[in-house]
Amino acid sequence: MVLDDRKVKILMAIIDDYIKNAEPVGSGTIVKRYDIGVSPATIRNEMANLEELGLLLQPHTSAGRVPSEKAYRLYVNELMKKKQVGKAPISNIQDILRAKIDNPDELIREIARIVSKNTLYAAIVTKPHSEKSTIKYIQLINIDENSVLLVLVINKDIVKNHIFKANIVITQEKLDQISKVLNKNFINHSLKDINIELIHRVGVELVDYRNILAPILDVIANTIKGIDKQDCYVAGMKNILDFPEFNDLEKARDMMKFLEESEGILKILNMYQSDSDKIMVRIGSENGFSQVDKCSIISVKYNINDSMYGTIAIIGPTRMDYLNTVTLLNGLIKQVNGL
Amino acid sequence: MVLDDRKVKILMAIIDDYIKNAEPVGSGTIVKRYDIGVSPATIRNEMANLEELGLLLQPHTSAGRVPSEKAYRLYVNELMKKKQVGKAPISNIQDILRAKIDNPDELIREIARIVSKNTLYAAIVTKPHSEKSTIKYIQLINIDENSVLLVLVINKDIVKNHIFKANIVITQEKLDQISKVLNKNFINHSLKDINIELIHRVGVELVDYRNILAPILDVIANTIKGIDKQDCYVAGMKNILDFPEFNDLEKARDMMKFLEESEGILKILNMYQSDSDKIMVRIGSENGFSQVDKCSIISVKYNINDSMYGTIAIIGPTRMDYLNTVTLLNGLIKQVNGL
DNA sequence: GTTAGCACTCTACTCATTTGAGTGCTAACT
DNA sequence: AGTTAGCACTCAAATGAGTAGAGTGCTAAC
């Protein structure tokens, strides 16, 4: 069924008003605030039609109307494109982010803070990770008599270090020899390739150094584990409390809990974001988790140096400023991907 | 003025009860739940005395009594030491933490999570930092034609890396030469020593490499900036909402805001924790910030490898389980310091 | 010094009433 | 046929009176 022009106008008015004021919109309000050009009675008739189409909901008989999930979906897919964007784009943040590029933890934290500050929703940023990471370079450095620094470069430019005590005095030359063998065997191998067999082979080749080899292989193993583990940072949780839909303490608590325990969030983000590079909007029950079935999540994939991927997402009430938020993420993602 | 035995008993009963139930304690309640051995009327007389001493407060004439800040202070300084600790000490977490020791961001996050989970308050952990950090080792590594990895070891075992593109092809031998000069000039210098003059001197010595030297010195400068900047991670914000004192949404919001903006927290923690290694307890207005004048903060300094310091803190309502929390932090700090 | 008795205080809760925003329907109007 | 004024109706939210009950302070007796 195609909506005629007037129905669209009225629906838009209701969505806009509800996004702004969080209160059911009545026929009188529409006439007063929006220029539709008909009387409240006519609006009421149209609203009844829109309700029949599943686009509006009535909290109770004597209240105004509220957009349904279906209405938001229509708005996001079609209607909002016709509107002008009001807010200014996000200012240049590349310099700020570039200063943190060596430390993914700080990087995602900064991104999350920027996003939450600019949207006034809660922002979630997952740590960049990669499924096909390969070892690029291994180097052992003797930093004093019995401390050895292991430097591990993954992909283009992820560096992991670990300092450990060698229980014997070992010269830089010997370390170079070990490095050489490790590089020969591990370079360009994906982290997943490094299995017992490969480690055994290295062990045989470096049999003379077996007492120092163990901690090295340990670190490599731990790094692999660490890189595969997904993690995320959440900023702007306080924004959630500003929305009237979370005035109920019980609901606020549930939401906080959900945001602090990253598992649920990560599941949702992984479920939907893995494939597409586009900005994804998931409205209410589309998220598939009861804890967030009154929330919408907007997310987008970012990548750092073509090798590591993560997700930037915001979460807020279904009554969300989709247009400005999508626009803002669009501007942001270009800056992040261009780092 | 010295409190007699019975007054102490009654005060303890009120504090214990109020910590547990968050409701003003009346004379009847004390008789019912605690074994003082006198009638409610006598308790009332004593309570009036304790109120005169500034140890109890009455929210309104027909309500029970509530401990004052002075009472909590007395409790923390003197009374609670006589009590037995109920809760089990924190389980061994050294293995979990040791796995994160190479990444301070992950480390403090894990600590904060453990603390908040075990205390049910909000936990704040500052990033380890040092005022007298010195450069321990600098190494430049050629990882492919025009990518150079700079490894910077600070103190015993903080490692910072940065990969940058050299706009010329440069061999490992040349990089070694540069490393040598850098080490000669920078090793054992405190980060604060590295000033324009020193940098200039290095520039002269390495005049042949001036086009690659700039990014290197940049990274060193940035690292210095980064290490000096304090930062913290907060976990368990949702716990705050579980306390009846934050049932008021306005208060909950203020608290969340305070916890998400780290400046205030860092100020408080720095103000009090900088000198002592002991566990510090600051009650209500002692914190000096109006946003937390209904909260208590318990904090303790931790150190990693004798060179980097940070603070572990919890924040909760003044009505807080001081004894168990202090005990738990005591057990925790030993494990963290022993990493 | 301790306690029973009692009048008094004050909050928190209950329940009936009112208010007002908003609706749906009908009949008249264009 | 579409639009609109009029009106009875609905229901949440606000208001306000009344009540219950926890707890006090004081006095007089033990």
Side-chain angles (χ1 to χ4, degrees):
Chain A
M1 189 253 180
V2 184
L3 294 177
D4 61 60
D5 237 36
R6 194 171 66 184
K7 280 196 181 59
V8 169
K9 251 188 176 173
I10 293 172
L11 184 60
M12 287 283 272
I14 293 173
I15 294 175
D16 280 355
D17 205 80
Y18 190 65
I19 286 178
K20 220 187 282 167
N21 303 312
E23 263 163 33
V25 189
S27 54
T29 311
I30 296 179
V31 171
K32 241 181 284 166
R33 297 192 195 151
Y34 302 85
D35 185 34
I36 313 284
V38 291
S39 76
T42 309
I43 306 258
R44 277 205 289 285
N45 288 334
E46 291 287 42
M47 290 203 298
N49 292 335
L50 288 167
E51 186 169 353
E52 229 166 281
L53 292 169
L55 292 167
L56 293 181
L57 298 172
Q58 219 174 358
H60 53 86
T61 38
S62 73
R65 297 312 206 287
V66 160
S68 69
E69 285 187 11
K70 195 174 163 191
Y72 288 125
R73 178 47 64 204
L74 183 68
Y75 177 78
V76 168
N77 287 358
E78 321 263 347
L79 308 181
M80 78 177 185
K81 272 143 203 161
K82 296 172 193 159
K83 287 190 67 183
Q84 289 291 321
V85 184
K87 271 194 200 158
I90 202 162
S91 60
N92 186 331
I93 48 158
Q94 287 200 308
D95 291 339
I96 297 168
L97 296 182
R98 218 170 265 134
K100 314 235 168 192
I101 199 114
D102 291 325
N103 185 337
D105 291 278
E106 284 190 2
L107 180 69
I108 65 170
R109 201 164 163 175
E110 190 64 42
I111 295 175
R113 281 174 178 170
I114 290 171
V115 172
S116 76
K117 207 175 231 169
N118 281 279
T119 58
L120 299 179
Y121 299 111
I124 305 150
V125 182
T126 67
K127 220 159 159 178
H129 81 136
S130 163
E131 275 141 30
K132 45 179 177 49
S133 295
T134 55
I135 290 180
K136 189 70 184 297
Y137 195 84
I138 298 174
Q139 174 90 344
L140 292 163
I141 304 171
N142 180 260
I143 54 172
D144 62 26
E145 301 98 54
N146 50 8
S147 295
V148 175
L149 167 64
L150 167 67
V151 178
L152 196 59
V153 182
I154 295 159
N155 295 336
K156 253 194 205 143
D157 49 9
I158 309 297
V159 188
K160 296 277 171 183
N161 321 282
H162 184 75
I163 292 182
F164 59 93
K165 300 252 172 271
N167 31 17
I168 47 163
V169 176
I170 190 155
T171 62
Q172 183 62 49
E173 287 90 64
K174 282 181 181 175
L175 289 176
D176 284 346
Q177 256 180 288
I178 301 175
S179 299
K180 211 169 163 189
V181 174
L182 291 173
N183 276 308
K184 193 186 73 190
N185 283 284
F186 290 153
I187 275 188
N188 290 329
H189 274 68
S190 120
L191 293 181
K192 293 202 169 139
D193 289 351
I194 298 176
N195 48 27
I196 298 174
E197 196 202 335
L198 186 57
I199 287 174
H200 181 73
R201 185 145 27 106
V202 173
V204 170
E205 233 176 301
L206 289 171
V207 70
D208 295 344
Y209 303 104
R210 70 176 98 70
N211 36 4
I212 198 178
L213 197 59
I216 295 170
L217 294 175
D218 264 9
V219 175
I220 295 174
N222 278 332
T223 306
I224 293 170
K225 254 195 271 170
I227 264 217
D228 280 351
K229 220 193 91 209
Q230 251 202 313
D231 209 351
C232 65
Y233 183 80
V234 179
M237 278 170 59
K238 66 162 190 289
N239 293 337
I240 292 294
L241 293 182
D242 288 332
F243 298 110
E245 24 276 275
F246 294 97
N247 274 355
D248 179 7
L249 258 174
E250 204 53 51
K251 278 188 194 135
R253 240 195 296 267
D254 285 353
M255 187 66 184
M256 290 288 157
K257 203 173 161 204
F258 185 75
L259 289 177
E260 280 204 335
E261 293 164 356
S262 17
E263 299 96 43
I265 299 170
L266 288 175
K267 254 186 218 159
I268 293 180
L269 294 184
N270 288 335
M271 204 179 301
Y272 293 93
Q273 199 60 59
S274 42
D275 36 0
S276 166
D277 274 355
K278 286 220 174 118
I279 293 187
M280 304 276 296
V281 178
R282 289 180 308 290
I283 297 161
S285 61
E286 293 174 11
N287 288 305
F289 276 66
S290 66
Q291 296 104 310
V292 287
D293 68 355
K294 295 286 177 300
C295 295
S296 287
I297 298 178
I298 305 185
S299 63
V300 62
K301 205 157 135 185
Y302 71 88
N303 86 68
I304 303 245
N305 285 302
D306 300 321
S307 65
M308 305 284 284
Y309 294 87
T311 305
I312 300 171
I314 68 97
I315 181 165
T318 43
R319 171 190 72 81
M320 167 185 288
D321 186 346
Y322 293 97
L323 180 54
N324 276 314
T325 308
V326 167
T327 310
L328 184 133
L329 281 184
N330 239 325
L332 178 88
I333 196 66
K334 273 184 206 130
Q335 296 195 45
V336 172
N337 284 345
L339 279 179
Chain B
M1 190 256 179
V2 184
L3 295 176
D4 61 60
D5 238 38
R6 194 171 67 187
K7 279 196 182 61
V8 169
K9 251 186 174 171
I10 292 172
L11 185 59
M12 287 282 274
I14 293 173
I15 294 176
D16 280 356
D17 204 81
Y18 190 64
I19 286 177
K20 219 186 283 166
N21 304 312
E23 264 164 29
V25 190
S27 53
T29 313
I30 295 179
V31 171
K32 242 181 284 165
R33 295 191 197 152
Y34 302 87
D35 185 33
I36 314 285
V38 290
S39 75
T42 309
I43 306 257
R44 279 204 289 284
N45 289 332
E46 292 287 43
M47 291 203 298
N49 293 333
L50 288 167
E51 186 170 353
E52 229 166 279
L53 291 167
L55 292 167
L56 292 182
L57 298 171
Q58 217 173 359
H60 55 87
T61 37
S62 73
R65 299 308 205 290
V66 160
S68 69
E69 284 188 13
K70 196 175 162 190
Y72 288 126
R73 178 46 66 202
L74 183 69
Y75 177 78
V76 168
N77 287 357
E78 320 265 348
L79 308 181
M80 79 178 184
K81 272 144 202 162
K82 297 172 192 162
K83 287 191 67 182
Q84 291 290 323
V85 184
K87 270 192 202 162
I90 202 164
S91 59
N92 187 331
I93 49 157
Q94 287 199 308
D95 291 341
I96 297 168
L97 296 182
R98 219 170 266 132
K100 313 235 169 190
I101 199 112
D102 292 324
N103 185 338
D105 292 278
E106 284 190 2
L107 180 69
I108 65 170
R109 202 164 162 176
E110 190 64 42
I111 295 176
R113 282 174 178 170
I114 289 172
V115 173
S116 76
K117 210 176 229 169
N118 280 280
T119 58
L120 299 180
Y121 299 111
I124 305 149
V125 181
T126 67
K127 221 161 161 176
H129 82 136
S130 164
E131 275 140 27
K132 47 179 176 50
S133 295
T134 54
I135 290 181
K136 187 74 183 296
Y137 195 86
I138 298 172
Q139 174 90 343
L140 293 163
I141 304 171
N142 179 261
I143 52 171
D144 64 27
E145 300 98 53
N146 50 8
S147 295
V148 175
L149 167 65
L150 167 66
V151 179
L152 195 58
V153 183
I154 295 159
N155 295 335
K156 256 198 204 140
D157 49 9
I158 309 299
V159 189
K160 297 277 170 181
N161 325 279
H162 184 74
I163 292 182
F164 59 93
K165 299 251 173 274
N167 31 19
I168 46 161
V169 176
I170 189 153
T171 62
Q172 183 62 48
E173 288 89 63
K174 281 180 180 175
L175 289 174
D176 284 346
Q177 256 181 288
I178 301 174
S179 299
K180 212 169 162 187
V181 174
L182 291 173
N183 276 309
K184 193 184 72 187
N185 282 285
F186 290 152
I187 275 189
N188 290 328
H189 274 66
S190 118
L191 293 180
K192 293 203 168 137
D193 290 350
I194 298 175
N195 49 27
I196 297 174
E197 199 203 332
L198 185 59
I199 287 173
H200 181 73
R201 187 149 22 110
V202 172
V204 171
E205 234 177 300
L206 289 172
V207 70
D208 296 344
Y209 303 104
R210 69 179 97 69
N211 37 3
I212 197 177
L213 196 58
I216 295 171
L217 294 175
D218 263 8
V219 175
I220 295 175
N222 277 333
T223 305
I224 293 170
K225 256 195 270 169
I227 265 219
D228 280 351
K229 220 192 93 212
Q230 253 202 309
D231 209 351
C232 65
Y233 183 81
V234 179
M237 279 170 60
K238 67 161 189 291
N239 293 338
I240 292 295
L241 294 181
D242 288 332
F243 298 110
E245 24 275 277
F246 295 97
N247 274 357
D248 178 9
L249 257 174
E250 204 52 53
K251 279 188 193 135
R253 241 195 296 266
D254 285 352
M255 187 66 186
M256 290 288 157
K257 203 174 162 207
F258 185 75
L259 288 176
E260 281 203 335
E261 293 165 354
S262 20
E263 299 98 41
I265 299 171
L266 288 175
K267 256 187 216 160
I268 293 180
L269 295 184
N270 287 335
M271 204 177 302
Y272 294 93
Q273 199 60 59
S274 42
D275 36 2
S276 166
D277 275 354
K278 287 224 173 109
I279 293 187
M280 305 277 295
V281 178
R282 289 180 308 291
I283 297 160
S285 61
E286 293 174 10
N287 288 305
F289 277 66
S290 67
Q291 297 103 310
V292 288
D293 68 355
K294 295 287 177 297
C295 294
S296 287
I297 298 179
I298 304 184
S299 63
V300 63
K301 208 159 136 184
Y302 71 87
N303 86 68
I304 303 245
N305 285 303
D306 301 320
S307 66
M308 305 285 283
Y309 294 87
T311 305
I312 300 171
I314 68 95
I315 183 165
T318 44
R319 173 190 71 82
M320 167 185 288
D321 187 347
Y322 294 97
L323 180 55
N324 275 316
T325 309
V326 167
T327 310
L328 184 133
L329 282 183
N330 240 324
L332 178 87
I333 197 66
K334 274 185 205 130
Q335 295 196 44
V336 173
N337 284 346
L339 279 177

